[in-house]
């Protein structure tokens, strides 16, 4: 790449469910840009058999998909190479959260989009709020669905614009019943699961609040840049003494499955408080290599997950996890320690023996947050 | 339907009457925006057009004096009831609309004040009149004109707004839809999206627009939250985990709560959530304890928290009961260091609460 390519701008059309009109609104914008004389192509578009969307795509240049064979079937993915060769000013890429089929150049579509942005191409894309990584547990609680295709929050934070595409849930349900969104059989099934009115209302609220937050973040970035003259990326690091906050959050990462929810929540709170966010793993004996394989894999998975959310985990050896954690926190001027809630059965019969109690007692100068356990109503 | 109680006929009648009233009343849909050029009028008229193609009888009751070309194009295809003039001021002709009695009436700009001599002083009251006459209304409004948001709007905009609509009017609408777009989008389509000649010395126009956009989104979220709660209450569903952060700070006479409350306030602001401060009512409180508690409560009042006095014997139980009833997502507690043998064996109140909280974050503050 040449030395100083202007980075493309990213605009996300954010919705709360299939059928609210994200793709339609994005294509509408593409037409407007085209009418202004801007060179626009559609790099990837998911028609879902919806007539109004298909009609809306007419008149726009649609690039063919890249064919990828996987397990005896052929799949079409975004052809990043073809888009780079075609070099439009603006490229439309539907469904930002999509995971590419194995054998594609990159695992995630948002990584494809990054390549286009780096090459100076502006991108318009769509996503639903439930694909945001830090909301994964909350969304599961509303819907009972564990969303697998997620986007790290920092990726969305880097977008230049996030626009809310709104439709009242009742109107969405009407569209569903009229067969606009899905074929009748699938529509019926959807209404019994994801498309329950209370679920839709809750997701809609999440999407609106998220958009407000995105507007807020961009405003304060603008204010700070104008006030102090700083720019560029903010990576959390142990040495960073950023001017923006005094809050520093430390997450204890373990092999326990609850670590994932803990990392998400810690990241989200840190983002909202504009705090720096760190993670720590403590091993009783020596290094990662001395612990059983299953446990090690679980910890490594959680550490990878933390890195994916731009949290750099540290690893320490210590006989006493609580003491090691609190010492580390003091050393690094942590203001808040995040701990998972122990499983009920593991609460000790006598208080003061469990990790949570020990940390709370030791950390007499640091706040300790015990993060909620997300459970569905019907489940035990 | 299986009932184990015989319905009270009086109650049944009242319920039927209420339902009948509800079905006789028109439906209200409001498009909410934050500035000119965002596209409210277009979206509203586009909906009107779609409803007409589905066979509904739609007329335009009022439209803004200045419209874009694309709005004009939509308007061409719609039947319009002309405005009438009262004392030289054009105003919506409610009488004519009632006589015409369409199924749906389009009202652009809810926040107008009617001239003296009109049947109602505000246009939203005209709309209320149409609704109770069984005419559905689709309308637009900008966040600047919502009575309860005026203070925040004026801080950003620097202009005192006189023409307002109460927030309850939005909350009780059947549907609201947010019309969102970035400030640049509005500026491209309307060079003065915030009424002519309004400038504030401290912030640029895009910054003002961005601030107003945020207020509009938060207002929409609050309206949706209100509707969600109403829905859950109607269907008897317990809310386990809200889309809205609600922070409960527990205070007592024994620990200085200034830092906890300040932190609670900051969290509530950053999450655009709500702040509650609760304390436990004790009948045997001493004068000294009362003074100390009062000092903590004064911090809570200064932070704009909702203050609650809780009654009961078991603090863990009553705090949790309150938290569940109010959809609390974070509890803030002071960790008072007592280390007597009783606490060591049976656990301190903080530990009991951590254990009971389950689906709520608990943040323990050192004191």
């Amino acid at each position: 790449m040449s030395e100083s390519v202007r980075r493309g701008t990213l605009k996300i059309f954010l919705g709360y469910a299939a059928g609210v009109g994200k793709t339609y609104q994005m294509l509408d914008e593409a037409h407007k840009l085209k009418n202004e004389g801007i060179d626009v192509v559609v790099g990837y578009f998911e028609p879902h058999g919806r007539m109004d969307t298909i009609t809306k795509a007419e008149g726009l240049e649609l690039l063919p998909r890249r064919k990828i064979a996987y397990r005896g079937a052929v799949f079409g993915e975004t052809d990043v190479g073809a888009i780079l060769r075609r070099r439009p000013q603006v490229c439309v890429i539907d469904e930002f959260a999509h995971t590419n089929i194995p054998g594609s150049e990159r695992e995630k579509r948002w990584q494809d989009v990054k390549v286009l942005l780096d090459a100076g191409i502006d991108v318009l894309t769509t996503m639903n709020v439930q694909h945001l990584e830090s909301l994964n547990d909350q969304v599961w609680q509303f819907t009972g669905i564990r969303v697998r295709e997620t986007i790290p929050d920092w990726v969305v934070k880097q977008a230049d614009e996030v626009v809310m595409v709104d439709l009242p849930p009742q109107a969405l349900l009407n569209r569903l019943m009229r067969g606009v969104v899905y074929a009748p059989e699938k529509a019926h099934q959807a209404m019994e699961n994801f498309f329950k009115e209370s679920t839709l209302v809750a997701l809609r609220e999440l999407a609106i609040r998220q958009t407000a937050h995105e507007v807020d973040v961009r405003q304060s970035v603008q204010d700070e840049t104008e006030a102090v003259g700083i720019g560029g990326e903010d990576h959390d690091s142990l040495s960073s003494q950023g001017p923006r906050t005094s809050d520093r959050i430390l997450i204890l990462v373990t092999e326990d499955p609850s670590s994932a929810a803990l990392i998400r929540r810690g990241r989200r709170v840190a983002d909202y408080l504009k705090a720096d966010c760190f993670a720590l793993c403590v091993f009783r004996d020596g290094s990662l290599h001395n612990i059983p394989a299953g446990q090690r894999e679980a910890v490594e998975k959680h550490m990878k997950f933390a890195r994916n959310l731009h949290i750099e985990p540290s690893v320490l050896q210590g006989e006493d996890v609580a003491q090691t954690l609190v010492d580390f926190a003091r050393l690094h001027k942590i203001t808040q320690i995040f701990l998972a809630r122990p499983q009920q059965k593991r609460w000790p019969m006598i208080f003061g023996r469990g990790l949570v109690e020990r940390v709370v007692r030791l950390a007499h100068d640091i706040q300790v947050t015990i993060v909620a356990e997300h459970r569905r109503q019907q489940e035990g | 339907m299986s009932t184990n109680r015989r319905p009270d006929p009086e109650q049944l009648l009242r319920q039927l009457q209420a339902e009948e009233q509800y079905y006789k009343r028109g439906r209200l849909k409001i498009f909410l925006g934050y500035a000119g050029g965002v596209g409210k009028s277009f979206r509203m008229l586009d909906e009107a057009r779609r409803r007409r193609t589905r066979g509904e009888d739609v007329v335009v009751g009022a439209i803004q004096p200045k419209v874009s070309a694309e709005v004009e194009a939509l308007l061409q295809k719609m039947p319009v009831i002309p405005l009438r003039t009262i004392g030289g001021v054009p105003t919506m002709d409610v009488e004519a609309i009632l006589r015409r009695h369409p199924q749906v009436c389009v009202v652009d700009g809810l926040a107008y004040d009617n001239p003296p001599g009109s049947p109602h002083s505000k246009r939203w009251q005209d709309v209320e009149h149409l609704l109770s006459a069984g005419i559905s209304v689709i309308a637009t409004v900008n966040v600047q004109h919502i009575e309860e948001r005026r203070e925040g709007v004026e801080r950003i905009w620097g202009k005192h707004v006189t023409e307002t609509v109460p927030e309850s009017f939005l909350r009780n609408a059947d549907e609201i839809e947010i019309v969102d777009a970035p400030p640049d989008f509005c500026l491209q389509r309307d060079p003065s999206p915030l009424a002519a000649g309004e400038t504030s010395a401290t912030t640029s126009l895009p910054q003002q627009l961005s601030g107003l956009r945020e207020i509009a989104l938060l207002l929409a979220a609050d309206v949706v939250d209100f509707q969600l709660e109403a829905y859950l209450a109607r269907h008897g569903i317990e809310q386990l985990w809200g889309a809205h952060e609600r922070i409960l700070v527990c205070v007592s006479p024994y620990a200085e709560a200034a830092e906890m409350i300040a932190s609670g306030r900051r969290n509530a602001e950053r999450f655009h959530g709500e702040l509650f401060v609760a304390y436990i009512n004790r009948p045997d409180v001493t004068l000294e304890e009362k003074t100390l508690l009062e000092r903590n409560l004064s911090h809570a009042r200064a932070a704009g928290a909702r203050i609650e006095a809780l009654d009961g014997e078991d603090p863990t139980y009553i705090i949790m009961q309150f938290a569940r009833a109010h959809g609390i997502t974070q509890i803030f507690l002071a960790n008072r260091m007592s280390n007597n043998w009783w606490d060591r064996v049976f656990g301190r109140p903080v530990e009991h609460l951590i254990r009971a909280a389950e689906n709520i974050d608990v943040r323990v503050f050192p004191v």
Side-chain angles (χ1 to χ4, degrees):
Chain A
M1 276 293 107
S2 72
E3 57 286 357
S4 63
V5 180
R6 180 197 70 99
R7 196 182 141 84
T9 59
L10 175 63
K11 183 168 185 174
I12 300 173
F13 292 85
L14 181 77
Y16 68 89
V20 295
K22 297 178 297 294
T23 304
Y24 187 89
Q25 199 169 319
M26 174 175 67
L27 292 172
D28 190 58
E29 176 133 342
H31 277 287
K32 284 200 181 108
L33 293 171
K34 194 187 163 198
N35 290 341
E36 287 166 23
I38 290 166
D39 182 22
V40 187
V41 304
V42 179
Y44 191 96
F45 159 60
E46 199 56 71
H48 289 298
R50 290 176 203 153
M51 278 322 294
D52 51 349
T53 320
I54 293 168
T55 316
K56 198 75 194 172
E58 281 168 13
L60 294 170
E61 179 182 341
L62 182 64
L63 294 184
R65 299 176 186 184
R66 183 164 174 249
K67 300 276 180 289
I68 292 164
Y70 179 69
R71 293 193 177 163
V74 175
F75 295 85
E77 296 289 1
T78 317
D79 195 339
V80 176
I83 299 168
L84 290 175
R85 280 191 299 280
R86 169 65 181 74
R87 276 221 140 270
Q89 284 170 283
V90 179
C91 184
V92 173
I93 307 264
D94 212 3
E95 298 192 350
F96 198 35
H98 173 78
T99 301
N100 291 333
I101 212 76
S104 308
E105 275 174 280
R106 281 161 291 271
E107 191 192 343
K108 299 282 185 180
R109 183 165 293 156
W110 63 261
Q111 294 166 326
D112 290 342
V113 166
K114 192 175 175 299
V115 172
L116 300 178
L117 295 172
D118 287 343
I121 298 169
D122 295 344
V123 175
L124 306 179
T125 191
T126 60
M127 71 179 275
N128 281 326
V129 73
Q130 49 269 37
H131 292 120
L132 203 64
E133 182 64 60
S134 72
L135 290 174
N136 197 268
D137 302 294
Q138 230 164 315
V139 167
W140 174 64
Q141 197 146 28
F142 289 158
T143 63
I145 292 165
R146 201 40 105 177
V147 176
R148 299 287 168 201
E149 299 194 317
T150 58
I151 301 181
D153 295 47
W154 61 266
V155 174
V156 174
K157 206 168 138 191
Q158 285 183 347
D160 299 84
E161 274 297 346
V162 176
V163 177
M164 168 85 192
V165 181
D166 191 28
L167 185 72
Q170 200 53 56
L172 176 60
L173 290 170
N174 289 342
R175 299 190 66 188
L176 202 67
M177 278 187 282
R178 288 204 307 271
V180 179
V181 183
Y182 294 126
E185 199 161 302
K186 197 178 172 196
H188 186 75
Q189 205 185 2
M191 280 170 81
E192 285 184 351
N193 298 307
F194 195 78
F195 284 79
K196 276 190 291 222
E197 191 175 346
S198 62
T199 306
L200 293 176
V201 177
L203 289 172
R204 183 188 184 205
E205 189 183 339
L206 270 186
I208 299 174
R209 288 196 189 280
Q210 189 64 38
T211 312
H213 174 65
E214 299 296 340
V215 171
D216 191 23
V217 165
R218 278 156 193 77
Q219 268 182 84
S220 32
V221 167
Q222 200 182 13
D223 293 348
E224 276 170 30
T225 326
E226 277 165 20
V228 198
I230 50 162
E233 292 182 26
D234 46 76
H235 274 293
D236 298 340
S237 75
L238 282 174
S239 59
S240 100
Q241 296 287 332
R244 55 202 182 115
T245 180
S246 52
D247 270 314
R248 290 161 77 82
I249 287 173
L250 176 65
I251 302 165
L252 179 69
V253 173
T254 66
E255 76 274 14
D256 195 273
S258 62
S259 286
L262 185 65
I263 292 166
R264 284 187 204 107
R265 180 67 176 167
R267 178 77 263 181
R268 187 165 178 82
V269 171
D271 283 348
Y272 271 78
L273 297 183
K274 298 176 183 173
D276 294 322
C277 189
F278 312 102
L280 178 69
C281 310
V282 181
F283 295 107
R284 285 206 171 77
D285 59 278
S287 73
L288 263 173
H289 304 287
N290 297 342
I291 58 175
Q295 198 183 342
R296 185 176 67 229
E297 276 161 26
V299 171
E300 279 173 345
K301 191 179 85 186
H302 294 145
M303 281 168 48
K304 184 179 169 217
F305 180 62
R307 278 190 208 101
N308 200 10
L309 301 188
H310 280 188
I311 304 167
E312 190 48 47
S314 304
V315 180
L316 279 182
Q317 191 242 319
E319 272 299 309
D320 181 341
V321 177
Q323 190 67 57
T324 310
L325 175 69
V326 172
D327 289 346
F328 180 90
R330 262 189 214 124
L331 187 64
H332 295 289
K333 299 191 167 54
I334 294 299
T335 58
Q336 238 192 98
I337 296 173
F338 269 61
L339 295 176
R341 171 165 285 283
Q343 300 298 310
Q344 280 298 340
K345 57 180 183 295
R346 276 191 261 146
W347 283 90
M349 292 312 286
I350 297 175
F351 277 90
R353 301 264 173 88
L355 179 75
V356 168
E357 290 87 353
R358 291 217 58 228
V359 173
V360 166
R361 287 181 186 203
L362 287 168
H364 45 76
D365 47 358
I366 302 168
Q367 296 166 22
V368 181
T369 298
I370 297 95
V371 169
E373 185 184 353
H374 297 260
R375 273 192 298 170
R376 298 268 305 157
Q377 210 146 18
Q378 274 79 29
E379 290 168 4
Chain B
M1 199 170 71
S2 70
T3 46
N4 45 17
R5 265 189 310 156
R6 278 165 68 93
D8 168 9
E10 279 295 313
Q11 196 191 336
L12 212 59
L13 186 66
R14 276 198 301 276
Q15 199 180 329
L16 277 172
Q17 282 169 339
E19 277 178 23
E20 205 179 339
Q21 276 294 312
Y22 176 76
Y23 286 110
K24 270 192 197 157
R25 206 179 135 84
R27 296 279 175 277
L28 174 61
K29 175 165 187 176
I30 298 175
F31 290 85
L32 174 72
Y34 70 91
V38 77
K40 295 178 304 296
S41 304
F42 179 79
R43 284 269 281 278
M44 175 182 63
L45 284 169
D46 194 44
E47 167 138 357
R49 176 192 61 79
R50 270 182 282 128
R51 289 195 188 195
R52 282 193 83 205
T53 59
R54 274 184 244 138
E56 289 181 45
D57 176 26
V58 186
V59 304
V60 176
I63 203 81
Q64 312 267 25
K66 143 189 115 161
V67 296
S68 67
E70 55 182 354
V71 168
E72 186 59 47
L74 277 173
L75 214 48
Q76 290 297 326
K77 298 173 200 151
M78 303 281 295
V80 177
I81 293 183
L83 301 178
R84 63 189 278 227
T85 41
I86 298 179
V89 182
T91 182
M92 185 161 80
D93 195 342
V94 180
E95 287 307 316
I97 299 167
L98 289 170
R99 277 196 304 276
R100 168 70 176 70
H101 212 283
Q103 277 174 290
V104 183
C105 181
V106 171
V107 181
D108 199 15
L110 266 180
Y112 282 88
D113 281 351
N114 289 330
S118 311
H120 305 290
S121 61
K122 304 274 189 183
R123 185 176 281 175
W124 66 265
Q125 293 166 328
D126 290 344
V127 168
E128 189 59 48
H129 191 159
L130 298 178
L131 293 169
S132 53
I135 299 170
S136 291
V137 173
I138 47 180
T140 63
V141 72
N142 273 335
V143 70
Q144 292 86 305
H145 297 290
I146 305 306
E147 177 70 42
E148 286 81 352
R149 307 281 159 156
R150 216 160 56 169
E151 208 179 302
V153 166
E154 283 172 12
R155 238 191 337 261
I156 291 167
W157 194 12
K159 189 198 169 189
H160 182 71
V161 182
T162 53
E163 299 191 315
T164 60
V165 179
E167 192 168 318
S168 60
F169 194 69
L170 256 71
R171 290 188 177 214
N172 294 316
D174 297 274
E175 285 185 345
I176 77 155
E177 187 169 324
I178 182 130
V179 184
D180 186 39
D184 288 352
F185 182 88
C186 303
L187 283 166
Q188 263 171 26
R189 294 150 45 102
D190 187 345
S192 54
L194 290 181
E198 290 302 335
T199 48
S200 150
T202 49
T203 47
S204 69
L205 189 54
Q207 276 172 315
Q208 288 182 352
L209 289 171
S210 182
L212 293 174
R213 182 184 177 200
E214 190 182 347
I215 297 182
L217 286 162
L218 292 171
L219 167 63
D222 285 349
V223 171
V224 170
D225 195 62
F226 173 82
Q227 291 173 345
L228 176 62
E229 274 180 21
Y231 180 93
L232 294 176
R234 246 190 346 264
H235 293 80
I237 304 167
E238 192 196 352
Q239 196 178 11
L240 268 180
W241 181 264
H244 192 184
E245 293 283 345
R246 291 189 177 85
I247 293 152
L248 172 64
V249 179
C250 301
V251 300
S252 74
Y254 312 111
E256 167 69 36
E259 195 203 328
M260 261 199 322
I261 292 169
S263 181
R265 178 190 190 166
R266 205 156 48 87
N267 274 259
E269 275 172 8
R270 291 279 168 82
F271 280 101
H272 301 296
E274 281 174 70
L275 179 64
F276 297 79
V277 169
Y279 64 97
I280 290 159
N281 248 339
R282 297 248 181 243
D284 53 350
V285 64
T286 66
L287 194 63
E288 195 197 348
E289 287 170 332
K290 215 171 176 169
T291 315
L292 293 167
L293 180 66
E294 189 46 45
R295 192 189 52 193
N296 282 338
L297 294 181
S298 69
H299 294 306
R301 273 188 287 271
R306 200 170 128 184
I307 297 170
E308 299 282 341
L310 307 177
D311 293 298
E313 284 297 312
D314 177 357
T316 303
Y317 178 77
I318 51 180
I319 290 170
M320 285 313 300
Q321 201 183 29
F322 178 83
R324 293 214 174 92
H326 292 82
I328 297 295
T329 58
Q330 303 181 36
I331 298 178
F332 287 14
L333 286 175
N335 181 23
R336 203 157 54 88
M337 285 292 169
S338 72
N339 215 3
N340 57 41
W341 70 268
W342 176 274
D343 281 356
R344 259 173 287 157
V345 176
F346 296 104
R348 289 178 290 160
V350 166
E351 289 165 353
H352 282 290
L353 205 111
I354 292 173
R355 197 170 166 164
E358 290 186 349
N359 46 29
I360 301 174
D361 286 0
V362 179
R363 196 195 295 189
V364 182
F365 282 70
V367 282

